[in-house]
Amino acid sequence: MPERRFRVWRGDARGGGFQEYAVEVDPGMVVLDVIHRIQARQANDLAVRWNCKAGKCGSCSMEINGRPRLGCMTRMNMFGADEVITVQPLKTFPVVKDLVTDVAWNYERNKRIPPFKPRPRGADGQHRMMQNDVDRVQEFRKCIECFLCQDVCHVLRDHDRKDAFVGPRFMIRLASLEMHPLDAADRIPAVRAEFGSGLCNITRCCTEVCPEHIGITDNGIIPLKERVVDRYYDPIQWLARRIFGRGGEH
Amino acid sequence: MVNVSELLTYEHDVLVVGAGGAGLRAAIECSAQGLSTGVVCKSLLGKAHTVMAEGGLAAALGNVDARDNWKIHFRDTMRGGKFLNQWRMAELHAREAPDRVRELEEWGAVFDRTRDGLISQRNFGGHRYPRLAHVGDRTGLEIIRTLQDYGIHRGFQVYMECTGLDLMTDGGRIAGLLAYFRETGRFALFKAKAVILATGGAGKAWRVTSNSWEYTGDGYGMAYEAGAELMDMEFTQFHPTGMVWPPSVRGILVTEGVRGDGGILTNNKRERFMFNYIPEKFAAETAATEEEANRWLTGDSTARRPPELLTRDVVARAITREVNEGRGTPHGGVYLDIASRRPADFIRKKLPSMYHQFKELAEVDITREPMEVGPTLHYFMGGVRVDPDTQETTVPGLFAAGECAAGLHGANRLGGNSLSDLVVFGRLAGVGAARYVRALPAAPRVPDEQAATAIRRATDILNRESGTNPYLIQEDLQNIMGRNVGIVRSDDELKTALREMERLKAEAARVKANGAAQYNPGWHAALDLRPLLITAEAVTRAALERQESRGGHTRVDYPDERAEWLKANIVVRKGRDGMETRRHERPAPPKELADIAYAKIEDLEAAIART
């Protein structure tokens, strides 16, 4: 078995640093397998969050050679034979221990999003939606909440504006609700104010790291921004609001 | 020494353990009934094992084929379970599943649609009609996210990354749960009038499994220690199609939806071998030739279903035999081929996760080449024995739902009946617990000594000077179960497994975890050993007891179903000198249900059409 060199960040909220491990790697292994091997043989207490190991739960988010990735979907054979592999926790969230970060902020934000509000069923007791009307919403609902998009978002990562911007993950959740054919709630005022759609400057880094290949920016955030613009900056709508008092902020 | 008065303490009417589909649905119900409700979950919210479910949830909505009806779903479930199911649970499940699916839609779930804009339904093994409401092959994610995003507005408290260690009882009644928070390593005492276990199964006792690290039988272990009974534990479902290559992904699930959408199984001679394994009982409802099976795929309603869609136990055994007799693939599986059956864009649309999973983990493009697949331990039909209507266990105040509970599936579960199980019985467990709590005269008290004992048991693992590596014990157990308690079992192998488990129990008593309590996976792995070993022993003892082959339990020394064994379920409980097994006699089924289950399908359908 070839031996590979890993640099894994070890530490907690008080600080830490990289530790080197030499590990045997079998064919077909992913980075998470290697972390588990280190855990089982060399460092029983190495903390890593994971569940499904099949790219479905979004638990094992980490930064591998500087890029946010799922450990379970990063194959070892994508690295050069002698490449040292550096693994560290997501930078945007506070470290709990080793590769585990505190992502509670995301759960708190999600709670503030006004929930789905269905319109009444048809006379036959059914909800009818055409497949091509739900394709887009289904694309957004593929999200596995790995928070890689949140990690890479400049507004959250570099400017630490968690107070003002909800991040790509929740922009597409908002988009999935706003575009849901059965939904009767209006979240556009909140998208603009509380959730800070204006702060996204469309660098598309979030789209690039999404393991589900969701068109976060083009299909989700930009259409939301357009709805905000139509509502607040379209002079005809603005006038109508002035005269009839419709669609204002409340 | 442990000072119980200084423990983190929380108080609720009902505490739900587990936040998969069953746990969340139970918590939603308890909150709706006005109870103070807490949910303890081992991982982050939304990551529970339900997220991995792929194919769909079974409910006789009749959207795709109007001939479907709860009675046919009920009949399919009983036949799939080889008639060892709890009749009442199979009835409740078939009757209530359609309402639960519509409810998910009402809460925001976006299922795939029919041409008329209704919830679409797909074919699956053992289901007579297209019955599975689905979202591509990520239905579990849709369900968990729907319940999560609806649930967070319902007022229950969620305690994430918190693991239950021991149930607390007061004079035989449930009084709460002692748990620990992974993030800090701190213990917490949850005082509760009722506890609902929704902790899923225990696939991690095997090496090749579709289950994640969480699936260590926590609910089985805690219920057993508290005096509850486990039932049907010998019935473990090996899903026929898990990945076999590369080794690091061996066992990861390949949805039955591949076969439901037309995929076929072939051996290394490219023979479609399932035609050689059609059980007599299903012959009348299964295609006899490839030509007929191909007509079924094109939507010909006079053609019968292809044999790839026989129940999972049948398909898993057939694959095992093909491989054992030298007709397997290079990596010890068989071929699952959808590439030659459906156009590439259809495959990518209906099976997107499978497409990705194979492309990214195995470098196989399933729109161009066949997959290599083999059986993987997937599901526990057995679990905690509950009352069919209330989901209450034999311990007052303790409830169980979902995979953690026994009864709905009998000897074998049909694909798609698990997700519907979660929402049907999750809700009923909530109703049952609420009724229990209201009738309770006084709140139970947790005896200090019980909490202190549980904490000592856990901290000893850290405080010991030296001891065995927990990962090695778990690996050892997985190998023992894989070798001796697999798809095909024998008296000799089962006894070997029991002997080996005695050795492991002794080692587990000396297990040592290094480091501190905070987010320490080694310590966690050590704590998982007790429920894993209880579960493994229960499966093995029940398998030894049942001297026949039925559903998910196959004995090489008793190769056939035997009528006398239909009269009893095997029940396991903690006795004075270790684990005891007994046969629990099955009462005669209500005539109305027996008439449906045993009816000839033509007669039943004619009767339904008349009403």
Side-chain angles (χ1 to χ4, degrees):
Chain A
M1 298 295 151
E3 202 162 82
R4 301 295 304 255
R5 276 166 56 218
F6 262 67
R7 290 172 70 234
V8 181
W9 195 89
R10 303 290 314 266
D12 55 28
R14 288 163 302 185
F18 287 98
Q19 272 199 34
E20 286 222 20
Y21 299 94
V23 210
E24 283 175 6
V25 173
D26 304 333
M29 268 191 163
V30 293
V31 167
L32 183 62
D33 290 321
V34 181
I35 298 290
H36 281 155
R37 188 162 276 182
I38 295 171
Q39 198 181 57
R41 297 181 183 175
Q42 302 181 47
N44 279 188
D45 60 344
L46 166 58
V48 59
R49 205 181 253 136
W50 71 288
N51 272 55
C52 75
K53 218 177 95 62
K56 293 186 169 69
C57 75
S59 299
C60 60
S61 304
M62 50 185 81
E63 296 189 6
I64 302 169
N65 284 358
R67 192 183 162 94
R69 289 179 179 280
L70 295 178
C72 72
M73 297 303 277
T74 306
R75 282 168 62 99
M76 286 300 295
N77 66 3
M78 64 175 281
F79 302 105
D82 300 321
E83 203 173 340
V84 177
I85 293 152
T86 302
V87 186
Q88 55 194 319
L90 301 182
K91 187 189 161 202
T92 300
F93 302 105
V95 169
V96 173
K97 190 182 159 206
D98 304 337
L99 301 176
V100 175
T101 53
D102 177 1
V103 291
W105 176 80
N106 294 288
Y107 288 89
E108 286 153 21
R109 284 288 123 168
N110 190 35
K111 239 180 166 164
R112 302 172 72 107
I113 293 177
F116 175 67
K117 186 177 159 195
R119 59 175 156 77
R121 287 176 177 272
D124 59 355
Q126 301 279 11
H127 280 311
R128 277 174 207 273
M129 298 188 272
M130 291 302 142
Q131 183 61 46
N132 56 10
D133 293 329
V134 299
D135 280 342
R136 182 61 15 103
V137 176
Q138 287 187 328
E139 177 194 347
F140 299 150
R141 292 181 67 89
K142 285 196 304 191
C143 171
I144 55 175
E145 296 201 329
C146 62
F147 305 131
L148 292 181
C149 59
Q150 306 286 76
D151 183 49
V152 82
C153 171
H154 307 285
V155 184
L156 305 178
R157 186 184 179 103
D158 302 324
H159 305 290
D160 198 21
R161 291 306 307 275
K162 294 194 185 81
D163 58 321
F165 184 47
V166 78
R169 163 33 189 158
F170 298 108
M171 290 306 283
I172 63 144
R173 172 150 149 69
L174 284 157
S176 79
L177 288 162
E178 283 299 295
M179 296 182 198
H180 195 309
L182 299 181
D183 181 68
D186 175 16
R187 297 171 195 79
I188 294 301
V191 165
R192 173 178 177 248
E194 184 179 0
F195 302 125
S197 61
L199 279 163
C200 165
N201 55 3
I202 322 187
T203 55
R204 294 192 174 81
C205 304
C206 51
T207 307
E208 243 173 73
V209 298
C210 177
E212 288 293 313
H213 308 291
I214 300 169
I216 301 176
T217 319
D218 290 359
N219 298 341
I221 298 181
I222 291 175
L224 277 185
K225 281 172 169 282
E226 284 168 355
R227 288 184 188 203
V228 169
V229 168
D230 286 349
R231 178 79 59 88
Y232 291 97
Y233 306 103
D234 179 328
I236 296 170
Q237 288 219 15
W238 179 85
L239 201 64
R241 208 165 50 240
R242 274 293 153 116
I243 299 166
F244 305 110
R246 286 194 279 116
E249 227 163 326
H250 30 226
Chain B
M1 271 318 286
V2 183
N3 189 345
V4 174
S5 63
E6 287 172 14
L7 268 179
L8 279 177
T9 302
Y10 304 91
E11 227 171 311
H12 289 288
D13 293 324
V14 181
L15 187 73
V16 180
V17 190
L24 289 176
R25 186 61 191 83
I28 288 169
E29 189 60 31
C30 291
S31 278
Q33 303 242 358
L35 302 178
S36 153
T37 307
V39 177
V40 162
C41 55
K42 212 168 165 177
S43 287
L44 296 176
L45 184 60
K47 309 296 184 194
H49 215 279
T50 303
V51 88
M52 293 179 75
E54 292 165 356
L57 42 353
L61 296 161
N63 286 354
V64 172
D65 195 318
R67 290 174 294 180
D68 205 6
N69 181 281
W70 78 264
K71 292 178 180 173
I72 300 175
H73 188 184
F74 167 76
R75 179 181 181 273
D76 289 345
T77 301
M78 291 301 300
R79 284 162 57 88
K82 320 300 163 189
F83 294 94
L84 211 62
N85 328 49
Q86 299 300 302
W87 291 78
R88 174 66 175 155
M89 286 176 82
E91 179 197 6
L92 282 168
H93 169 253
R95 278 184 188 271
E96 296 189 9
D99 278 349
R100 298 285 77 75
V101 174
R102 283 189 279 266
E103 178 178 82
L104 287 168
E105 187 174 51
E106 198 69 22
W107 295 347
V110 184
F111 294 105
D112 286 354
R113 318 308 294 180
T114 65
R115 244 174 269 151
D116 303 328
L118 300 177
I119 294 171
S120 181
Q121 299 182 272
R122 70 155 44 116
N123 278 299
F124 236 56
H127 294 281
R128 182 163 174 80
Y129 293 114
R131 189 175 282 150
L132 270 65
H134 62 277
V135 187
D137 53 4
R138 57 159 191 87
T139 315
L141 173 67
E142 186 69 18
I143 288 176
I144 205 153
R145 201 65 82 230
T146 301
L147 293 172
Q148 173 186 347
D149 287 337
Y150 179 77
I152 54 174
H153 298 287
R154 310 258 71 80
F156 55 79
Q157 276 293 318
V158 182
Y159 304 90
M160 294 201 278
E161 297 194 310
C162 185
T163 301
L165 297 175
D166 277 288
L167 290 163
M168 302 285 108
T169 53
D170 175 8
R173 281 183 183 282
I174 279 298
L177 176 84
L178 196 281
Y180 97 95
F181 284 105
R182 210 163 150 78
E183 191 175 320
T184 55
R186 289 187 70 185
F187 294 98
L189 179 62
F190 291 89
K191 298 179 176 175
K193 296 169 188 158
V195 170
I196 299 174
L197 294 174
T199 51
K204 273 294 161 191
W206 281 261
R207 196 169 59 83
V208 180
T209 176
S210 63
N211 292 178
S212 80
W213 71 273
E214 293 195 295
Y215 259 37
T216 49
D218 299 14
Y220 305 148
M222 288 190 285
Y224 172 87
E225 290 290 341
E229 294 180 327
L230 308 180
M231 186 174 80
D232 294 339
M233 294 300 279
E234 67 276 32
F235 298 113
T236 48
Q237 179 166 80
F238 289 85
H239 194 290
T241 60
M243 292 177 81
V244 298
W245 187 260
S248 68
V249 298
R250 190 167 191 124
I252 290 181
L253 188 65
V254 180
T255 176
E256 191 166 324
V258 177
R259 284 170 285 141
D261 288 341
I264 57 170
L265 292 165
T266 61
N267 59 24
N268 63 16
K269 299 184 164 58
R270 300 290 157 145
E271 287 163 347
R272 206 169 154 185
F273 59 83
M274 279 311 301
F275 284 99
N276 307 328
Y277 294 95
I278 302 171
E280 208 183 301
K281 208 189 285 183
F282 290 91
E285 294 167 33
T286 308
T289 63
E290 286 195 35
E291 181 273 329
E292 184 180 358
N294 291 341
R295 275 195 288 121
W296 176 88
L297 187 61
T298 63
D300 180 344
S301 64
T302 64
R304 293 168 297 179
R305 309 162 56 74
E308 278 85 3
L309 291 178
L310 285 161
T311 55
R312 288 177 175 175
D313 51 331
V314 175
V315 182
R317 271 195 303 272
I319 293 174
T320 305
R321 184 144 166 211
E322 288 295 308
V323 173
N324 289 346
E325 293 180 359
R327 293 185 294 277
T329 64
H331 301 116
V334 295
Y335 294 109
L336 172 60
D337 172 25
I338 186 139
S340 70
R341 313 275 298 167
R342 295 284 197 181
D345 53 342
F346 175 93
I347 297 169
R348 278 193 293 264
K349 170 76 192 157
K350 296 304 272 186
L351 302 161
S353 315
M354 293 303 102
Y355 176 73
H356 271 128
Q357 187 172 308
F358 274 89
K359 189 130 195 156
E360 287 176 29
L361 295 176
E363 291 170 0
V364 167
D365 179 351
I366 69 167
T367 67
R368 302 161 69 96
E369 355 167 28
M371 299 159 248
E372 277 184 77
V373 295
T376 178
L377 194 284
H378 182 54
Y379 188 85
F380 273 61
M381 271 68 76
V384 188
R385 188 163 90 84
V386 294
D387 177 88
D389 286 277
T390 64
Q391 312 306 300
E392 190 170 7
T393 70
T394 46
V395 174
L398 183 63
F399 297 75
E403 187 174 356
C404 184
L408 168 60
H409 308 293
N412 173 63
R413 174 174 72 81
L414 297 185
N417 271 1
S418 175
L419 288 180
S420 41
D421 173 2
L422 304 182
V423 281
V424 168
F425 291 103
R427 174 180 162 274
L428 288 175
V431 173
R435 198 176 301 138
Y436 171 87
V437 165
R438 283 203 199 92
L440 200 63
R445 291 169 41 106
V446 175
D448 280 3
E449 188 44 37
Q450 262 185 43
T453 305
I455 292 171
R456 258 196 312 274
R457 184 180 67 80
T459 46
D460 279 353
I461 297 169
L462 288 168
N463 295 338
R464 216 162 264 147
E465 286 290 307
S466 64
T468 331
N469 178 341
Y471 292 99
L472 298 184
I473 303 179
Q474 188 175 348
E475 217 176 285
D476 210 345
L477 174 67
Q478 290 172 338
N479 289 328
I480 291 166
M481 295 304 280
R483 261 199 309 273
N484 302 299
V485 196
I487 297 189
V488 181
R489 300 156 179 179
S490 73
D491 188 85
D492 273 1
E493 287 173 346
L494 292 168
K495 284 179 177 155
T496 305
L498 283 178
R499 264 197 311 278
E500 295 275 308
M501 267 176 234
E502 287 308 312
R503 175 176 62 78
L504 287 190
K505 277 195 242 173
E507 282 188 24
R510 291 182 283 109
V511 67
K512 159 76 182 163
N514 295 307
Q518 186 203 15
Y519 222 112
N520 184 339
W523 185 39
H524 199 104
L527 292 168
D528 282 342
L529 288 173
R530 185 180 71 168
L532 272 174
L533 283 164
I534 291 170
T535 309
E537 185 178 348
V539 171
T540 312
R541 287 192 188 279
L544 197 58
E545 180 85 11
R546 182 169 287 276
Q547 296 178 339
E548 67 158 351
S549 295
R550 183 184 296 274
H553 170 67
T554 304
R555 287 279 299 257
V556 69
D557 37 3
Y558 301 96
D560 301 310
E561 270 183 31
R562 294 166 72 190
E564 74 222 60
W565 277 103
L566 188 54
K567 293 180 191 148
N569 296 89
I570 294 170
V571 167
V572 171
R573 61 173 297 167
K574 188 176 182 175
R576 216 164 286 162
D577 308 307
M579 198 174 277
E580 293 173 352
T581 57
R582 70 176 175 87
R583 294 181 201 185
H584 184 76
E585 290 299 315
R586 292 168 60 81
K591 182 175 179 311
E592 183 202 323
L593 294 181
D595 284 350
I596 299 170
Y598 291 113
K600 271 180 67 180
I601 189 69
E602 297 80 14
D603 299 344
L604 178 61
E605 296 198 327
I608 291 168
R610 280 196 299 274
T611 54

